[in-house]
């Protein structure tokens, strides 16, 4: 019971750290645009959410094409779908729909963003994200062509699980080391390994000592002096 409670506690702490790290990645990390505009694809090849935003046919437009691109940094991944149209007037008009995924070591949280280049001059549409303040954004993205960051709010099942386990283990390690060392030291000094109460003079029953202080915890090894 106590062990189960401890496991749940560390998993919760791991999840909290995981979310904080993902937000820190979104806040201070960046995903610059890769080389070129990506691979040309058919509109049918885009995910439904993106297709809904990107599908566009206008009679005055000479040329409409769709691209897919994935950029990755230590802080996150952008899965990006763009539409480029060439019209008689005005000329190039790119439009983007992206899944912005943040976190370390795996990407664990995401938001979706849709809008017109260049960012962040145009107000983008957000989904599942809490946009950073304009002040923060202008510092981060003083140059254009970057989606202004938001704090991601939607967990990615696999990445969220892996990161939570990773941080839970990371937090548990120093805790486990400390309790193991303390337990050994207490046994060596003939103290109760659980609460530290002195067991000198305690009478063992069937080689088991019941701690008079905390009662429940028993210790089989008997160090007689
Ligand atoms: Zn005790």
């Amino acid at each position: 019971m106590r062990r189960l409670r401890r496991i749940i506690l560390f998993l919760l702490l791991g999840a909290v750290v995981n979310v904080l790290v993902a937000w820190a990645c979104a806040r201070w990390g960046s995903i610059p645009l890769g080389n070129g505009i990506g691979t040309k694809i058919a509109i049918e090849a885009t995910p439904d959410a993106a297709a809904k935003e990107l599908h566009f046919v206008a009679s005055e437009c000479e040329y409409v094409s769709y691209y897919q691109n994935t950029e990755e940094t230590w802080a996150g991944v952008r899965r990006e779908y763009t539409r480029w149209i060439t019209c008689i007037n005005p000329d190039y008009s790119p439009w983007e729909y992206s899944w912005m995924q943040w976190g370390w070591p795996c990407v664990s949280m995401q938001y979706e963003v849709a809008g017109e280049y260049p960012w962040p001059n145009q107000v983008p549409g957000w989904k599942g994200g809490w946009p950073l303040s304009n002040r923060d954004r202008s510092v981060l993205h003083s140059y254009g062509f970057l989606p202004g960051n938001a704090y991601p709010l939607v967990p990615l099942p696999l990445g969220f699980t892996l990161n939570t386990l990773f941080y839970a283990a990371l937090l548990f390690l120093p805790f486990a080391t400390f309790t193991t060392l303390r337990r050994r030291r207490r046994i060596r000094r003939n103290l109760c390994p659980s609460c530290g109460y002195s067991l000198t003079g305690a009478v063992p029953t069937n080689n088991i000592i019941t701690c008079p202080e905390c009662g429940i915890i028993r210790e089989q090894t008997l160090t007689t002096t």
Side-chain angles (χ1 to χ4, degrees):
M1 195 60 207
R2 202 169 139 195
R3 186 162 292 178
L4 183 71
R5 264 208 309 253
R6 195 166 287 168
I7 289 170
I8 291 169
L9 174 75
F10 274 95
L11 284 176
L12 281 173
L13 287 173
V16 169
V17 173
N18 169 23
V19 170
L20 291 177
V21 169
W23 286 350
C25 286
R27 171 66 180 79
W28 288 290
S30 67
I31 310 171
L33 286 185
N35 298 324
I37 49 174
T39 316
K40 195 174 173 183
I41 52 165
I43 185 69
E44 291 80 29
T46 57
D48 287 348
K52 230 168 81 186
E53 287 288 331
L54 298 177
H55 191 59
F56 180 89
V57 181
S59 56
E60 71 271 24
C61 292
E62 295 173 330
Y63 191 62
V64 184
S65 47
Y66 303 93
Y67 293 87
Q68 179 199 349
N69 208 3
T70 305
E71 291 116 25
E72 203 171 343
T73 65
W74 66 271
V77 177
R78 177 197 296 131
R79 303 199 315 107
E80 171 189 52
Y81 295 86
T82 41
R83 175 195 74 207
W84 287 78
I85 57 175
T86 314
C87 296
I88 297 157
N89 188 30
D91 43 18
Y92 271 120
S93 171
W95 193 266
E96 173 185 323
Y97 195 99
S98 283
W99 280 261
M100 305 292 294
Q101 307 177 335
W102 303 93
W104 191 90
C106 303
V107 287
S108 65
M109 305 276 284
Q110 78 168 3
Y111 59 82
E112 289 157 59
V113 58
E116 193 177 4
Y117 283 154
W119 313 90
N121 303 332
Q122 305 287 331
V123 178
W126 304 96
K127 210 164 119 189
W130 186 266
L132 297 169
S133 69
N134 279 328
R135 185 177 49 85
D136 292 340
R137 239 188 288 169
S138 60
V139 171
L140 281 168
H141 306 296
S142 44
Y143 53 103
F145 293 97
L146 271 183
N149 284 12
Y151 293 109
L153 301 178
V154 179
L156 296 160
L158 180 66
F160 195 92
T161 308
L162 290 175
N163 280 16
T164 295
L165 291 173
F166 173 76
Y167 288 115
L170 212 65
L171 292 167
F172 185 72
L173 214 68
F175 172 81
T177 311
F178 170 75
T179 48
T180 307
L181 288 177
R182 188 179 62 180
R183 187 183 163 82
R184 276 199 207 142
R185 196 186 59 224
R186 280 175 175 172
I187 290 170
R188 212 169 46 234
R189 292 183 183 171
N190 202 22
L191 306 174
C192 169
S194 174
C195 68
Y197 189 81
S198 174
L199 296 179
T200 315
V203 185
T205 319
N206 298 328
N207 222 18
I208 291 170
I209 296 175
T210 307
C211 172
E213 181 67 18
C214 64
I216 309 157
I217 309 299
R218 291 165 292 248
E219 181 55 39
Q220 272 173 300
T221 49
L222 186 62
T223 43
T224 41
T225 40

